[in-house]
Amino acid sequence: MHTSPLSRRTVLAGTAAAAALTATPALQGRTSAAEQPPSPAYRWRTAVIGGTGFVTGVLFHPTVRGLAYARTDIGGAYRWDDRTARWTPLTDHLGWDDWNLLGVEAVAVDPAHPARVYLALGAYSQSWAGNGAILRSEDRGATWTRTDLTVKLGANEDGRGTGERLLVDPRDSDTLWLGTRHDGLLKSTDRGATWKAADTFPAAPNPTGQGVTLLVAAGRTLYAGWGDSDGTTASANLFRTADGTTWEPVPGQPAGTAAKVPVRAAYDRHTRELYVTYANAPGPNGQSDGSVHKLATATGKWTEVTPVKPGGTTQDGSADTFGYGGAAVDARRPGTVVVSTNNRWAAVDTLYRTTDGGRTWTSLKDSAVFDVSETPFLKWGEAAPKFGWWIQAVAVDPYDSEHLVYGTGATLYGTRDLRRWAPQIRGLEETAVRQLISPPTGQAHLISGLGDIGVMYHERLTASPSRGMATNPVFGSATGLAQAALRPSYVVRAGWGDHGNGAFSRDGGRTWAPFAAQPAIAKDAPGPIAANADGSVLLWSFVHWDGTKHPAHRSSDNGATWTEVPSFPKGATPVADPADPAVFYVYDTDAGTLLASTDGGRTFAARATGLPSGDTQFKVVAAPGRSGDLWLSAKWNGLYRSTDGGAGFTKIDSCRASYTLGFGKAADGADYPAIYQVGSTGTITAVHRSDDGAKTWVRINDDAHQWGWTGEVITGDPRIHGRVYLATNGRGIQYGEPV
């Protein structure tokens, strides 16, 4: 291996280090896997919150009682076991380089072979994302065989609640069909091992459209929905094949649907009728019109069976606009169908159920009684939960007509009697995690800042927080979370809220109050926030969702008044010294400069320069209980340490890449806190621990526990050596402990 002059520790101070950094080869500091010490055995579990993400599809197996699969937009796929009433994650083995595959575009099962299941994976179709992949299993997802595709999928894009886009041909279990967004219809004749274009499919691929939105079998005839109709009367958005070779437009498609998207379809084998839901946009957002139609497949007759047409007004005069989404038939009762509204904000979304083939419908919302005691965040700070939103996943148990589940943007609800509803979500965690704090004292071992559902105070890791999300005010996504190191009862948070964007707690995060005031920019661009060591000073940075950066502000009166800090780099993340209340730090990622303040955040001055630059995700972390002990995770540039408050940095040669880093309780006999890192000491990116100040590392996760991208935040528990909390982008909070 080539060795550079910088493969040993190098002190970086001032601008002199810039040239040296430029000369550093990419392999500098790399350690081979064979050189790593044996990994300790760890047990990994998911901290219970309860869903918190968009469940885009649920599929009951038609021939196995109690077996179902669920897919999510960024959190992988799951298998349901009715005996244990839990979901089992099926894609946690996907690692750092495969982060894009945690988005599940579609699921397919084989009615003739109950142990077979297929997943179509790929979160984004943009140029910066990788191609999609097919996973196929012969043991219900316990093990997988993978085929990489040559096309991209879009499980976290518009239209992610349509489908399913993957189907096992009922004539031949070896034949699979895959509908893509931009590359037409694909076909495999070897159970997903290889794929080629279905050349006879008549719709032309669209590089910017929705493509095939659904595939469904109606007996031996296959139907495909098309999301890119041009809206003319001559265009078609539903196609069929009777022989598995030749595709044609379905004749007589209903008037008014040519400009809409077929969202979901379900086939009633008793009446031989195909039900199709339509909306004027693929959803989940943007829908304002829709309808439901059924096709008598034997005669070709279409009938509109829309429960309620969009376009009316609610009691307060608001426009009642929405589309239709989910569709499911009752396999045991002819003519019994459930459909969902979607994007219905004024009157709130609902499920409609018919028992007479669509002649009459009943809104299940009208009689619904909810019990969300297991996941209290679903009240969203109100007295009672709403029926839900983003409802495009709907399924009826083929062995129990009153067992119905539907997905929302936050959970899965289930019922066994069509009246009483509760989350059916155990084991399924899809939170995108942004901040983690493990307090040194107090009842909670963990406080988390999350996407979409704000901040949680975890009394127990095995139960959803009893008070739900932090209220007063309620946030959507959290953007900042900080604790005063010398006064851990004081915690502050920032995020997107309707009634204020910043709040403080004096009881360690149990209860909250909004800041008395906030800078005007906080409404549109809340960003990271820091509290100094004794909680007497706050620094709040501001970044708009589109990336626009704004000046930071300072408060020395608990958020009653704020003043701008001109010398603080716009949009950067403030870091408080854990031992000296007068000191703050900030890393200017544009310039590669560490700045410090010694006057309580009033002014900042540059210290070390010439450090890695150009990436806003570079992170500075202060070691607990020590003044001026700073660590810089600079991604593929490696890991750096300063012991003099940022005046100089030393490159750590024990790791090749460092994406995020945190601290926990020291090992017995050790004089330095345990360090936890997501990074690379060899050839793979993994979770590591060091008990000797980063001289050596051990990998503490394994190939079955990888969770895609995990570069946001990691922290150890200051009270329990070896326990670590890891943020994921779609699999919630993972925590590991030695066994």
Side-chain angles (χ1 to χ4, degrees), residues 66-316:
L67 175 62
Y69 296 91
R71 61 178 168 97
T72 65
D73 52 2
I74 62 170
Y78 295 80
R79 181 184 65 243
W80 173 258
D81 185 342
D82 214 34
R83 295 169 298 177
T84 61
R86 290 190 64 84
W87 295 97
T88 299
L90 301 178
T91 48
D92 284 356
H93 65 283
L94 294 169
W96 181 271
D97 293 336
D98 289 324
W99 65 267
N100 187 54
L101 301 185
L102 265 291
V104 186
E105 184 85 291
V107 181
V109 297
D110 185 346
H113 298 85
R116 291 181 185 173
V117 60
Y118 302 87
L119 304 178
L121 307 179
Y124 300 101
S125 62
Q126 279 77 19
S127 59
W128 42 261
N131 290 339
I134 299 294
L135 293 187
R136 53 195 194 277
S137 175
E138 300 280 347
D139 52 16
R140 302 183 183 182
T143 60
W144 297 96
T145 302
R146 172 172 163 177
T147 293
D148 290 323
L149 299 171
T150 59
V151 303
K152 299 178 186 294
L153 304 181
N156 195 34
E157 299 178 350
D158 285 349
R160 57 195 184 272
T162 65
E164 297 293 323
R165 286 177 159 102
L166 185 64
L167 181 68
V168 177
D169 196 310
R171 307 175 198 81
D172 178 10
S173 292
D174 288 347
T175 298
L176 274 72
W177 301 85
L178 173 63
T180 73
R181 293 167 178 265
H182 310 309
D183 298 278
L185 181 66
L186 306 183
K187 182 179 182 180
S188 171
T189 57
D190 53 12
R191 299 212 302 273
T194 61
W195 294 84
K196 63 179 181 179
D199 295 332
T200 62
F201 190 72
N206 185 333
T208 61
Q210 279 292 309
V212 178
T213 59
L214 65 88
L215 291 166
V216 64
R220 296 175 63 83
T221 299
L222 309 184
Y223 290 82
W226 184 250
D228 299 331
S229 171
D230 61 17
T232 65
T233 56
S235 66
N237 56 17
L238 195 66
F239 298 88
R240 72 182 181 190
T241 179
D243 59 8
T245 300
T246 304
W247 289 83
E248 63 176 359
V250 176
Q253 295 186 38
T257 62
K260 295 184 174 70
V261 176
V263 177
R264 293 273 183 168
Y267 179 63
D268 188 334
R269 61 184 176 85
H270 299 289
T271 64
R272 299 175 67 187
E273 292 173 322
L274 181 70
Y275 291 81
V276 185
T277 59
Y278 293 88
N280 62 342
N285 289 310
Q287 296 176 340
S288 59
D289 192 13
S291 58
V292 183
H293 299 260
K294 71 175 181 179
L295 170 66
T297 59
T299 65
K301 179 183 177 181
W302 284 92
T303 304
E304 182 173 0
V305 292
T306 306
V308 174
K309 292 189 177 182
T313 57
T314 61
Q315 290 182 347
D316 65 0

Side-chain angles (χ1 to χ4, degrees), residues 551-727:
H553 285 66
R554 175 185 184 273
S555 176
S556 58
D557 53 14
N558 196 42
T561 60
W562 298 86
T563 56
E564 185 176 318
V565 184
S567 56
F568 187 97
K570 291 181 180 180
T573 299
V575 177
D577 189 281
D580 188 341
V583 177
F584 283 94
Y585 309 98
V586 61
Y587 190 65
D588 186 340
T589 58
D590 292 333
T593 299
L594 190 287
L595 296 90
S597 170
T598 58
D599 56 7
R602 293 180 178 86
T603 61
F604 283 79
R607 291 190 172 178
T609 61
L611 295 166
S613 62
D615 195 308
T616 59
Q617 292 181 351
F618 293 164
K619 299 177 177 68
V620 169
V621 181
R626 292 159 170 78
S627 183
D629 191 349
L630 306 178
W631 296 74
L632 168 63
S633 288
K635 301 177 75 169
W636 51 82
N637 295 287
L639 178 64
Y640 300 79
R641 183 187 181 190
S642 173
T643 56
D644 54 11
F649 277 83
T650 298
K651 194 172 193 299
I652 303 300
D653 61 4
S654 60
C655 65
R656 180 175 60 91
S658 179
Y659 296 94
T660 188
L661 180 139
F663 298 91
K665 183 179 180 180
D668 290 343
D671 59 1
Y672 198 80
I675 307 175
Y676 299 91
Q677 177 186 236
V678 175
S680 175
T681 62
T683 58
I684 64 170
T685 300
V687 185
H688 298 88
R689 189 187 82 218
S690 174
D691 288 327
D692 57 9
K695 296 181 179 66
T696 61
W697 301 87
V698 291
R699 182 186 179 189
I700 57 175
N701 72 324
D702 53 54
D703 290 349
H705 299 89
Q706 300 195 77
W707 317 286
W709 186 79
T710 51
E712 188 70 32
V713 63
I714 190 172
T715 189
D717 193 306
R719 291 176 268 182
I720 303 173
H721 174 255
R723 180 188 283 181
V724 60
Y725 306 99
L726 175 66

